[in-house]
Amino acid sequence: MNQLTDFFSKLFSTSDWPPRWYCGTWSDFHGWLYIISDLTIWLAYMCIPVILLRFVIVKRGVPLRGVFWLFGAFILLCGLTHLIDAVIFWVPIYRISALIRFLTGVVSIGTVIAMIKYFNDAVGLRTSQEYEYELKYRQKAMQALERSNEELKQFAYVASHDLQSPLKTIEGYLGLLESKYKSELDESGQKIIQTTANSAHRMRDLINDLLEFSQVGLGQDLTNVDLNNVLGEALEEMEQEINENKADITVGKLPQLRASRTDMKRVFQNLISNSIKYSRKGIRPEIHISVREKAFEWVFSVSDNGIGIDELYFEKIFQVFQRLHARNEYPGTGVGLATCKKIVETHNGKIWLNSEPGKGSTFHFTIPKDLKTIHDYE
């Protein structure tokens, strides 16, 4: 301990040893060759960290930045040892030389450990050729996606025209049959007509829901929208359903954000309709819509006092055509929540729920504050 204290107390002392010129018999040629070599190495070692520093600053998002900083410090300290070796020819700062060499050793060990630790990560970094290959692959994937979108548009056209046209004919003739021959049919015949008409009606609902589901994300028009106005329009369009069920809906103040106005209205309408549909018998539906702000996103919540959902089905209900109840209990096609999930995910968000059977459910979904789509990078 005394030696350590003595070392640092005399760190800048030059009285214990003579300059290197006076140690041995240096010739001018040998001495200056040594000095010039050390200064040249020091100069090169100084340039390398400067280049690395400029690279890290200019090239944003450089992986393994910590290794770059350690390696730069190691090179800088190595160069400093050569500078001090040249200075010692005139100024015998041997203690400072020893301290710099010790620090160089510590940093070099840290650099080696870091390189070993991040070796697999470094091997996993892609080369420019790999990036070029991936870019070509992504371009082909984009072309395939565009073709798929065109096919979906064609499907939407078929669903909205070609499939519904014969369905209208079936419904028309069923109505004509019922009005013209109802008095001639017995109870069994009338039941057959009614059952067929109900099936045709369910088919129409299913086609419309599938059409809506297939159109999510196609030609998405993102604008700055005031969700207070969007929700107001949604509630106005649902006024009859709300009044018939005497639903009590409360709404907190909602933000303005960049999103698809049509899609956001669909989400609110589907979630509100879902809450009304699955209300408890004899209990007035109470629905509350709120939002809370986080660092990079908005978290929306739609709460109700309905029948609730068992945790086992939290994932299942977001799948297309997945229903937990018979149609005679609760009508529907099983597409609404799947549509909500698709809309939220096309907005780079996520949707989930908390629920307890018999006590109600709360659906949550997020929308990023700075929403970016593929069209923003074109």
Side-chain angles (χ1 to χ4, degrees):
M1 189 64 183
N2 291 334
Q3 290 183 357
L4 186 63
T5 303
D6 180 69
F7 177 85
F8 280 102
S9 65
K10 296 181 178 179
L11 185 62
F12 298 100
S13 175
T14 59
S15 60
D16 293 339
W17 300 280
R20 184 168 287 168
W21 272 119
Y22 302 108
C23 297
T25 55
W26 291 89
S27 66
D28 286 345
F29 174 79
H30 189 189
W32 281 106
L33 179 63
Y34 196 103
I35 293 168
I36 292 172
S37 299
D38 271 331
L39 291 176
T40 304
I41 294 172
W42 166 73
L43 184 61
Y45 276 4
M46 284 296 294
C47 290
I48 293 173
V50 171
I51 295 171
L52 285 176
L53 179 62
R54 184 171 183 272
F55 175 76
V56 171
I57 293 173
V58 172
K59 186 70 174 178
R60 297 184 181 278
V62 173
L64 309 179
R65 293 174 69 92
V67 177
F68 272 90
W69 287 111
L70 270 175
F71 187 69
F74 167 66
I75 295 296
L76 188 65
L77 287 169
C78 285
L80 197 54
T81 60
H82 285 276
L83 175 64
I84 290 176
D85 276 355
V87 171
I88 285 176
F89 270 82
W90 294 279
V91 184
I93 46 175
Y94 287 98
R95 289 186 181 84
I96 294 177
S97 176
L99 180 61
I100 295 299
R101 288 175 183 273
F102 174 75
L103 293 176
T104 304
V106 171
V107 173
S108 64
I109 291 173
T111 305
V112 170
I113 293 173
M115 292 181 73
I116 293 173
K117 180 179 178 182
Y118 294 108
F119 179 79
N120 290 333
D121 293 338
V123 171
L125 296 177
R126 285 168 289 185
T127 64
S128 58
Q129 289 180 336
E130 290 173 324
Y131 273 114
E132 184 177 352
Y133 173 80
E134 182 179 351
L135 179 60
K136 290 180 180 178
Y137 176 81
R138 287 180 180 272
Q139 288 173 340
K140 290 181 179 179
M142 281 297 301
Q143 292 171 357
L145 181 60
E146 288 176 359
R147 287 196 299 269
S148 176
N149 285 341
E150 285 300 319
E151 291 171 359
L152 280 174
K153 289 179 181 178
Q154 291 297 322
F155 166 76
Y157 177 83
V158 170
S160 62
H161 294 85
D162 296 355
L163 289 180
Q164 294 207 39
S165 179
L167 188 59
K168 289 178 181 178
T169 303
I170 293 172
E171 288 179 325
Y173 275 105
L174 282 172
L176 183 63
L177 182 64
E178 183 179 21
S179 63
K180 191 171 183 179
Y181 299 103
K182 183 177 181 180
S183 59
E184 300 178 23
L185 295 173
D186 58 12
E187 184 179 346
S188 177
Q190 293 180 18
K191 185 177 181 181
I192 290 173
I193 292 179
Q194 187 62 44
T195 302
T196 307
N198 290 338
S199 296
H201 182 70
R202 285 201 302 272
M203 177 63 76
R204 180 182 295 280
D205 289 341
L206 182 58
I207 289 173
N208 288 333
D209 286 347
L210 279 174
L211 177 60
E212 180 178 306
F213 182 77
S214 67
Q215 288 178 327
V216 171
L218 297 180
Q220 195 177 48
D221 183 20
L222 300 182
T223 57
N224 291 321
V225 295
D226 186 342
L227 290 186
N228 297 286
N229 296 335
V230 172
L231 183 56
E233 291 178 10
L235 294 176
E236 186 176 343
E237 293 175 11
M238 299 178 67
E239 186 174 1
Q240 181 177 350
E241 181 182 359
I242 293 170
N243 292 337
E244 286 178 353
N245 292 274
K246 299 180 180 179
D248 180 20
I249 301 177
T250 58
V251 182
K253 185 170 178 57
L254 302 180
Q256 292 186 4
L257 48 74
R258 186 169 182 253
S260 167
R261 185 183 188 88
T262 303
D263 284 346
M264 294 307 299
K265 185 162 69 172
R266 283 180 189 170
V267 171
F268 283 123
Q269 286 180 331
N270 282 338
L271 292 179
I272 293 170
S273 181
N274 203 65
S275 294
I276 293 174
K277 182 194 305 181
Y278 294 103
S279 59
R280 286 179 284 168
K281 301 293 183 183
I283 303 294
R284 183 181 184 183
E286 295 180 0
I287 303 166
H288 180 63
I289 302 168
S290 61
V291 64
R292 58 190 175 91
E293 184 177 4
K294 298 184 74 173
F296 303 105
E297 62 187 6
W298 296 99
V299 183
F300 297 88
S301 301
V302 179
S303 305
D304 63 54
N305 62 338
I307 61 174
I309 303 169
D310 192 287
E311 188 176 356
L312 293 173
Y313 305 110
F314 281 7
E315 295 295 328
K316 181 179 179 180
I317 61 172
F318 290 109
Q319 299 173 17
V320 182
F321 303 134
Q322 295 298 318
R323 294 174 50 84
L324 305 183
H325 306 277
R327 285 192 180 88
N328 58 354
E329 292 182 279
Y330 298 97
T333 59
V335 181
L337 289 178
T339 301
C340 289
K341 184 175 188 290
K342 188 175 180 183
I343 289 173
V344 170
E345 289 181 349
T346 57
H347 282 75
N348 297 334
K350 58 182 180 178
I351 186 170
W352 71 99
L353 78 150
N354 302 115
S355 185
E356 188 175 345
K359 293 187 177 180
S361 305
T362 300
F363 285 85
H364 307 277
F365 66 92
T366 63
I367 301 294
K369 289 183 176 179
D370 185 20
L371 177 60
K372 298 289 186 183
T373 68
I374 191 169
H375 302 292
D376 295 304
Y377 300 97
E378 291 178 345

